[in-house]
Every structure is written in C-alpha cells, then in structure tokens.
Amino acid sequence: MTNPLRTPLAAAADQLNLNLSEQQLDRLLAYLDMIAKWNKVYNLTAVRDPQAMLTQHLVDSLSLLPALRRHAAGQQLRLMDVGSGGGLPGVVVAICEPNIDVTCVDAVAKKATFIKQVAAELRLPNLHGEHSRVEQLKTEPFDLITSRAFASLLDFTTLTRSHLKADTVWLAMKGQHPAEELAALPPDLDVFHVEQLQVPGLDAQRCLIWIRPKS
C-alpha cells in the first residue's frame, strides 16, 4: 500500500526543485516512520500528527537544500548539525545530499542513539550521531555548521566556533527575522546574507541566517 504522505512529500520536493529520486523519497518517509515509532518512548518531538510532522519537520528541513546545494556546488563537505534532536535538518541533508558527510550532535544520549539507528537502518554511511555537549566535542573541524531551533545566534556561534575550518560558514534556520539576536552578535562576525525560505504547505515565516567570521 502506498504511503499517503508520499504524494504531498513528492509535490513539496518538486516545488523546491530538488529532483529527489524514488529511493530518497522512500528514505525520507522511512525516517518519518522511525521518528513516529521512537517518539512513543524517546519523545523526539512534540508534534504527533503525521501530516504535521511531514510539513513542520521534513518539508521545513528540505527548504534548506536549495541554499545548501548552491553553497556546496557539488563539493564533498563535512557538516555539523548542532542540537539536532531527532535529526532535523541533519538526517534530511544526509538522505538528499550523499556528498555531504553529516554529524548530528546532541547533548541527550537517546537522541544521538536514534541518529545512529537511522544511519544503520537507512544505510546512510554519511550520517553520524554524536552524544556530546557541542563545546566539549573532540572532532576535526567542519566546512559547515547548521542549527534549527537550537539556541540564540550568539550561543550557537560561540559554542561551535572552535569547530570551524577557515572559510567555514554557519547556517542558522530561524522563524521570523531575529533582529535582536543579530544585534547581539559580536563585531568580529559577518552576517553576510539573510535569506527568506519558502516552505511548501507551511503558513509561517522562515529564514536562513548566513554568518562567517570576519577575516
């Protein structure tokens, strides 16, 4: 039996011009099923309705991909997704962008365990779960650092700064334009682009904040 969420997911992906394969759509739906199943025990998300989970989690995370693809330009990159919870947007990026190696970092052990299970079940060698406070994580530096509803921009950049490579950018997914958070950033950071995101099916404001250290 066809998953009833497949048609709206495929339509949203088409609207975002993502050109996803059948296998990628299958994996995204399998991932959504895993969130629903593990949610009963692990409380990964407060959203319980499958259609709402599709729009507010999967499609919301997919809206990052056009900007991410533009930035990556086909290169192999290492991306850290901070405070990733159930893996949003990190797992979605790993499914849709095999050239990007994604590490989802969360201070809650069961959430990192869930990411590892997703990587194993969906056969995603480019997806990794790390249980750690991000400021204590020992790892090689990253090309990109993302977050979605993790913390203020000041905390996000301060806590992850030690994990930046030269020429790295931060990509923070936010709701409404966070004017107060932007004003609180230190003067040695360059907010070089604030991009409005269009999320198919979601009647809410979303934006993507691009930040890098000033050279």
Side-chain angles (χ1 to χ4, degrees):
M1 192 172 117
T2 306
N3 187 320
L5 298 179
R6 188 180 186 87
T7 300
L9 175 61
D14 285 346
Q15 213 173 320
L16 291 164
N17 294 315
L18 295 178
N19 196 26
L20 299 182
S21 69
E22 294 298 314
Q23 184 187 51
Q24 286 169 325
L25 292 171
D26 288 343
R27 281 177 165 161
L28 287 168
L29 291 169
Y31 167 52
L32 202 62
D33 286 344
M34 288 183 74
I35 293 178
K37 188 171 80 176
W38 283 57
N39 217 18
K40 292 171 182 148
V41 180
Y42 276 22
N43 196 26
L44 298 169
T45 170
V47 182
R48 294 288 195 268
D49 175 68
Q51 181 66 56
M53 283 170 69
L54 176 75
T55 303
Q56 293 175 32
H57 290 333
L58 273 196
V59 178
D60 191 52
S61 295
L62 285 172
S63 72
L64 169 69
L65 291 181
L68 191 58
R69 286 179 175 177
R70 194 176 66 234
H71 176 78
Q75 303 170 79
Q76 292 199 325
L77 299 177
R78 291 184 72 237
L79 178 148
M80 176 163 71
D81 183 26
V82 186
S84 147
L88 299 153
V91 171
V92 173
V93 173
I95 288 170
C96 299
E97 302 298 317
N99 273 351
I100 298 181
D101 192 81
V102 178
T103 299
C104 293
V105 181
D106 204 283
V108 179
K110 62 190 179 184
K111 291 179 177 175
T113 300
F114 173 69
I115 299 300
K116 290 176 181 174
Q117 189 63 30
V118 171
E121 279 196 33
L122 301 187
R123 297 188 178 138
L124 296 168
N126 62 327
L127 176 65
H128 320 280
E130 285 282 355
H131 167 227
S132 176
R133 295 184 68 83
V134 67
E135 64 272 28
Q136 296 166 353
L137 184 66
K138 300 282 186 274
T139 181
E140 293 294 307
F142 291 86
D143 301 296
L144 275 167
I145 301 180
T146 60
S147 74
R148 177 179 175 268
F150 162 61
S152 71
L153 292 174
L154 179 61
D155 286 348
F156 170 51
T157 51
T158 302
L159 293 172
T160 58
R161 196 162 188 160
S162 62
H163 301 303
L164 283 177
K165 269 186 190 174
D167 304 323
T168 299
V169 298
W170 286 287
L171 284 178
M173 298 184 78
K174 289 284 180 180
Q176 292 186 331
H177 187 281
E180 287 183 14
E181 290 184 34
L182 289 167
L185 289 172
D188 65 340
L189 294 186
D190 176 21
V191 179
F192 64 96
H193 189 33
V194 177
E195 183 171 349
Q196 293 302 313
L197 296 179
Q198 300 303 320
V199 182
L202 190 64
D203 184 21
Q205 288 189 317
R206 289 285 188 271
C207 65
L208 187 60
I209 314 292
W210 297 73
I211 308 170
R212 63 189 165 208
K214 288 181 179 169
S215 50

